[in-house]
Amino acid sequence: MTGNPLDDPLRKLVGDRTAKVLADHLGLHTTGDLLHHYPRRYAERGELTRLADLPVDEYVTVVAQIAKADKRTYGRGSGVRLEVVVTDGSGSLTLVFFSKAAHAHAHRLLPGRRGMFSGKVSVFNRTRQLAHPDYQLLDADADDGPEAKDAVDAFANRLIPLYPAVKQITSWRIAQAVDTAIDSLGAIGWAGVGEPLPAELRTGRDLVALPEALVKVHRPGSKRDIEVARQRLKWDEAFVLQVALARRRADESALPAVPRVPGGDGLLAEFDRRLPFTLTDGQRDVSAEIFADLATDHPMHRLLQGEVGSGKTLVALRAMLGVVDTGGQAAMLAPTEVLAQQHHRSITEMMGDLAESGMLGGSELGTKVVLLTGSMGAAGRRQALLDLVSGDAGIVIGTHALIEDKVRFRDLGLVVVDEQHRFGVEQRDALRAKAEQPPHLLVMTATPIPRTVAMTVFGDLETSVLDQLPAGRSPIATHVVPAAEKPHFLARAWERVREEVEAGHQAYVVCPRIGDEEDAKAAGGSAGGKDGKGGKGGGAAAEGAPDDAERRPPLAVLDIADQLAKGPLGGLRVEALHGRMAPDAKDDVMRRFAAGDLDVLVATTVIEVGVNVPNATAMVIMDADRFGVSQLHQLRGRVGRGSAAGLCLLVSEAHEASPARTRLDAVARTLDGFELSRIDLEQRREGDVLGQAQSGSRSSLRVLAVIEDEEVIAAARDEATALVAADPELAAHPDLRSALESLLDADREEYLDKG
């Protein structure tokens, strides 16, 4: 055998048919894939699995004992049905077999016997059942012959692994395939199986060898074996990923960049002199980190995390002004046209005449600040492109239209990316092509990310955190409005909105979807993303609902705006805003709301980031359970931005004891975005947080949990950074290099480029 046997295709091990099922339904293609498909949990001999908690319509594996078995006829005696009742002390479950299967299984499924049973849970006559389940008996019986006795003996003295399975292949069939793989590798002494962790690291961290870890995780003799195996396998995942990120950081650091050191009497100094407030300590500290990076001769790659309203845009603007002072240009990329327009408006307002270079009344120290989006008119677009190529525009704010071939800069020095929309490798290369040397990069996010997630997801970026709110920002009171249980609470919510408007303030009402015909087609399922098209936070929609199939469609902006204007908010100036409006119409609505010409804005999550109206003090979020925790936190950050206190009301029909209500209660309880992001992460699959390439059965994070394993991730980052510094090409670590190549298939390479 040549090469690493873990790379062998599964068909050599388990045959074409089983290999096809494992590939098609679990994404397992090689022996290594199979051995890294770890047990979800372990059943013990004598352990009672709770049948009382079985979910309907899900595939399950249970360990239980047969209480009774009856063969009955039906259909005037022509059909036979075998009903087997199994129990574990907490509840019971009926196994049903029909026709030939009833006869085939009757002699084995006898009262007193114990086994593993797998199938989809359904309900018939108010009784939970598995129809035609797969099963494997766990106790010996004379009728089963010597082979069954051997199988049972194999189970007798160890924990029973229960694997993530699907309808097409059961947990114990996966276990049989794993056993075949382990026996096959054991027969050759695990020859050729690579060891990705350096020997000194394993010794220093007291980690077992990879073959031992794989045997112990699949065939544990004790719970201690599982612990030892999982600790080693967590290190594999953390270390290989951190080496990939460390190499990317090293590659970025090796690139040349123009140092950008602003003088003391230019545009930045004048802007600072005019600021009507003092910077917070956090803003000063983060700015110092950014300017230190900009002064180096390799590109800055920094992530700026900030609580909603912490002043990230101001920090980014100061960095852009500093680059303009050095003769360079800065580009800010926003994910949507609404946000690009909002940034352009707020930045030009903050700068005043400093943003009007060359215009009547413009400052001599100033520069042009231009907007570039896909929907601009030809004349405006032509002028913006001219201002960029001539260098007259020091700052450009736009959408991905900035990356198009026609866009040319005189000297692009800094790129600011708003809201986690990091570049794919193509976009990053396209931007680099617009500068003589790679520009500096600042990524901003208002979604607080726990430190370990930042190290795992944004591991090629240095991280700065703004967690201090500027002076004068008001607290936001958040309350859950249980609309189904207490309808009068909803009526009171609309009274509160009226009271805020009568006091001279404004309000937002947020809905999960738009409500036009195109939107209605997609409304049956999820909501909660950008303009109700799914997206972040949308996946949690079903939690706490009675039944997905029975749920009404999410509430819609157009419907609610109409109902409010004719009903509880009659007489107030109510308008709608959503992502499918024409750009000019959206901008007009936002301008009028910002100017105080509207009282209530009924909108989708298009207002989630960047919208800054200090006079808006109240927000009502309809169907709040259809949004994610972090998204709710983002949304409520739109109120309380002035001197008056903010109010956020989370309207939900979710039941009081449901997971959805638990999430809403958590949002109401704290304004700490980092605490909420931990709650959000704990309640969702890791893949949701780590991006598409990290989810699914081939995820490189199988045992590593980014919240629980904070110490492992931090230590792995330190070890990886030191190793890459000493051996950038990994020449002395061929097995680690192979593990990296396996990790960085095309999908994950793109994941690491995009983040």
Side-chain angles (χ1 to χ4, degrees):
M1 187 179 295
T2 59
N4 189 333
L6 294 185
D7 295 333
D8 288 349
L10 275 175
R11 66 174 184 279
K12 291 172 63 176
L13 193 74
V14 298
D16 288 344
R17 188 173 171 185
T18 302
K20 187 174 188 322
V21 174
L22 289 169
D24 291 351
H25 299 286
L26 289 170
L28 308 178
H29 302 272
T30 66
T31 301
D33 290 342
L34 178 63
L35 291 181
H36 288 101
H37 185 73
Y38 306 126
R40 181 168 37 90
R41 61 188 181 90
Y42 301 85
E44 296 179 68
R45 288 286 279 167
E47 178 192 6
L48 294 179
T49 306
R50 284 184 58 82
L51 293 179
D53 299 333
L54 288 181
V56 176
D57 286 336
E58 286 195 21
Y59 289 93
V60 298
T61 298
V62 299
V63 179
Q65 191 158 15
I66 299 173
K68 62 179 181 177
D70 291 316
K71 206 165 19 170
R72 301 175 181 176
T73 59
Y74 63 93
R76 297 182 181 176
S78 59
V80 180
R81 180 173 75 238
L82 174 64
E83 287 189 6
V84 179
V85 178
V86 297
T87 182
D88 67 352
S90 74
S92 61
L93 177 69
T94 301
L95 317 177
V96 189
F97 300 86
F98 296 93
S99 307
K100 290 180 182 176
H103 295 295
H105 298 291
H107 74 289
R108 301 189 72 220
L109 299 176
L110 301 174
R113 301 204 65 182
R114 180 174 171 74
M116 294 199 295
F117 306 94
S118 180
K120 186 177 181 180
V121 182
S122 59
V123 175
F124 180 71
N125 282 345
R126 298 187 180 180
T127 301
R128 276 184 274 204
Q129 66 174 30
L130 302 182
H132 287 266
D134 285 308
Y135 65 89
Q136 182 167 326
L137 295 172
L138 300 181
D139 49 1
D141 185 281
D143 291 342
D144 290 331
E147 288 182 9
K149 178 74 168 68
D150 291 344
V152 173
D153 288 344
F155 276 114
N157 297 312
R158 66 183 175 97
L159 296 149
I160 303 164
L162 299 178
Y163 291 89
V166 289
K167 176 185 178 182
Q168 292 79 7
I169 187 162
T170 57
S171 171
W172 55 84
R173 293 229 169 97
I174 296 169
Q176 287 169 347
V178 169
D179 281 342
T180 303
I182 289 175
D183 291 342
S184 167
L185 290 166
I188 59 167
W190 294 80
V193 172
E195 181 54 90
L197 294 189
E200 60 274 20
L201 190 157
R202 290 201 317 276
T203 305
R205 301 279 171 182
D206 197 21
L207 300 171
V208 299
L210 181 58
E212 184 181 345
L214 290 172
V215 171
K216 282 183 171 174
V217 81
H218 292 293
R219 292 179 177 174
S222 66
K223 289 183 178 177
R224 173 67 183 152
D225 280 353
I226 299 169
E227 246 176 76
V228 166
R230 287 176 67 84
Q231 187 65 9
R232 159 63 210 246
L233 297 168
K234 283 178 181 183
W235 261 93
D236 275 24
E237 293 179 4
F239 185 70
V240 173
L241 182 59
Q242 291 301 333
V243 166
L245 293 167
R247 292 184 84 191
R248 189 165 297 280
R249 286 195 301 276
D251 289 347
E252 301 287 6
S253 297
L255 292 169
V258 177
R260 304 286 177 175
V261 183
D265 56 355
L267 182 55
L268 174 61
E270 179 61 18
F271 176 79
D272 283 348
R273 191 181 63 76
R274 297 183 184 189
L275 274 178
F277 50 81
T278 56
L279 298 176
T280 65
D281 291 343
Q283 287 172 326
R284 274 197 295 271
D285 293 344
V286 168
S287 290
E289 292 172 347
I290 290 170
F291 282 116
D293 283 356
L294 289 172
T296 63
D297 57 6
H298 57 81
M300 169 175 75
H301 282 86
R302 186 165 288 277
L303 170 68
L304 172 55
Q305 289 192 65
E307 275 285 16
V308 177
S310 59
K312 291 180 305 303
T313 306
L314 175 62
V315 169
L317 175 56
R318 293 187 70 248
M320 291 193 286
L321 295 176
V323 168
V324 173
D325 272 345
T326 69
Q329 293 166 291
M332 177 182 269
L333 274 181
T336 66
E337 290 204 357
V338 167
L339 191 51
Q341 290 162 344
Q342 178 70 27
H343 275 315
H344 181 255
R345 189 180 307 122
S346 62
I347 282 173
T348 52
E349 283 171 4
M350 277 194 273
M351 290 178 64
D353 64 350
L354 295 175
E356 297 169 353
S357 173
M359 298 165 66
L360 195 63
S363 167
E364 289 181 9
L365 287 170
T367 188
K368 271 191 181 179
V369 179
V370 301
L371 177 69
L372 188 63
T373 64
S375 65
M376 285 175 70
R381 183 178 176 78
R382 195 161 45 244
Q383 184 60 52
L385 293 172
L386 192 63
D387 287 340
L388 287 177
V389 76
S390 68
D392 288 347
I395 295 174
V396 59
I397 296 147
T399 56
H400 275 68
L402 280 176
I403 299 168
E404 291 176 8
D405 289 344
K406 292 178 182 175
V407 181
R408 289 284 177 267
F409 292 84
R410 189 174 62 80
D411 181 14
L412 179 60
L414 171 65
V415 175
V416 179
V417 186
D418 193 25
E419 273 316 301
Q420 296 185 51
H421 285 247
R422 294 171 65 194
F423 307 117
V425 67
E426 306 88 2
Q427 289 100 321
R428 198 179 280 189
D429 286 348
L431 265 174
R432 282 184 173 148
K434 297 178 188 301
E436 286 186 23
Q437 293 190 348
H440 298 281
L441 176 69
L442 180 66
V443 178
M444 298 197 301
T445 174
T447 304
I449 304 168
R451 174 170 167 262
T452 44
V453 182
M455 281 194 294
T456 310
V457 182
F458 293 99
D460 59 333
L461 300 178
E462 300 300 325
T463 303
S464 296
V465 177
L466 271 177
D467 53 10
Q468 185 182 5
L469 293 184
R473 283 300 298 268
S474 302
I476 305 168
T478 308
H479 303 284
V480 178
V481 178
E485 299 152 43
K486 299 176 179 175
H488 60 285
F489 276 35
L490 182 57
R492 176 64 186 136
W494 302 127
E495 287 174 14
R496 284 292 289 113
V497 170
R498 272 194 172 281
E499 288 166 12
E500 290 296 314
V501 172
E502 284 163 8
H505 301 302
Q506 294 160 278
Y508 298 100
V509 177
V510 182
C511 302
R513 70 181 180 97
I514 299 170
D516 56 15
E517 283 183 22
E518 186 181 338
D519 179 59
K521 292 175 190 171
S526 66
K530 300 285 180 199
D531 285 342
K533 295 179 185 174
K536 66 180 178 181
E543 292 182 82
D547 186 320
D548 232 16
E550 295 172 15
R551 293 190 90 189
R552 59 162 171 72
L555 294 173
V557 165
L558 299 178
D559 298 336
I560 294 296
D562 187 54
Q563 290 169 22
L564 292 177
K566 292 175 181 174
L569 302 185
L572 302 186
R573 297 168 296 176
V574 178
E575 283 214 27
L577 176 73
H578 58 77
R580 276 207 287 272
M581 292 166 65
D584 288 349
K586 280 187 287 197
D587 204 39
D588 177 61
V589 171
M590 274 311 309
R591 278 183 189 280
R592 286 190 290 128
F593 188 67
D597 296 337
L598 299 176
D599 299 317
V600 179
L601 189 64
V602 184
T604 55
T605 53
V606 74
I607 57 120
E608 181 181 353
V609 287
V611 175
N612 184 26
V613 181
N615 193 45
T617 55
M619 175 178 286
V620 181
I621 303 178
M622 308 302 292
D623 281 346
D625 51 287
R626 297 186 188 245
F627 299 92
V629 168
S630 295
Q631 194 172 28
L632 292 171
H633 183 59
Q634 285 260 17
L635 285 165
R636 75 168 161 198
R638 300 302 107 205
V639 297
R641 299 177 78 84
S643 55
L647 172 68
C648 179
L649 301 174
L650 307 174
V651 179
S652 171
E653 293 181 2
H655 187 268
E656 189 175 7
S658 66
R661 274 287 286 280
T662 302
R663 289 202 324 273
L664 297 184
D665 289 340
V667 175
R669 196 169 53 244
T670 180
L671 290 170
D672 184 338
F674 287 92
E675 173 62 23
L676 287 173
S677 70
R678 291 183 76 96
I679 293 168
D680 204 14
L681 186 57
E682 284 162 5
Q683 292 192 347
R684 294 157 61 196
R685 295 194 329 277
E686 303 279 333
D688 293 339
V689 177
L690 299 181
Q692 191 58 45
Q694 290 290 11
S695 64
S697 58
R698 294 205 64 218
S699 163
S700 60
L701 297 195
R702 295 180 181 90
V703 288
L704 193 71
V706 290
I707 288 291
E708 295 166 23
D709 298 319
E710 188 165 351
E711 290 180 11
V712 173
I713 293 169
R717 180 182 166 105
D718 292 342
E719 294 270 12
T721 303
L723 184 140
V724 169
D727 183 7
E729 299 304 315
L730 307 181
H733 302 90
D735 290 339
L736 174 57
R737 206 164 57 238
S738 297
L740 267 182
E741 287 164 6
S742 172
L743 170 75
L744 299 180
D745 56 21
D747 287 345
R748 294 204 184 85
E749 189 73 62
E750 186 181 12
Y751 154 76
L752 283 176
D753 279 319
K754 284 183 178 175

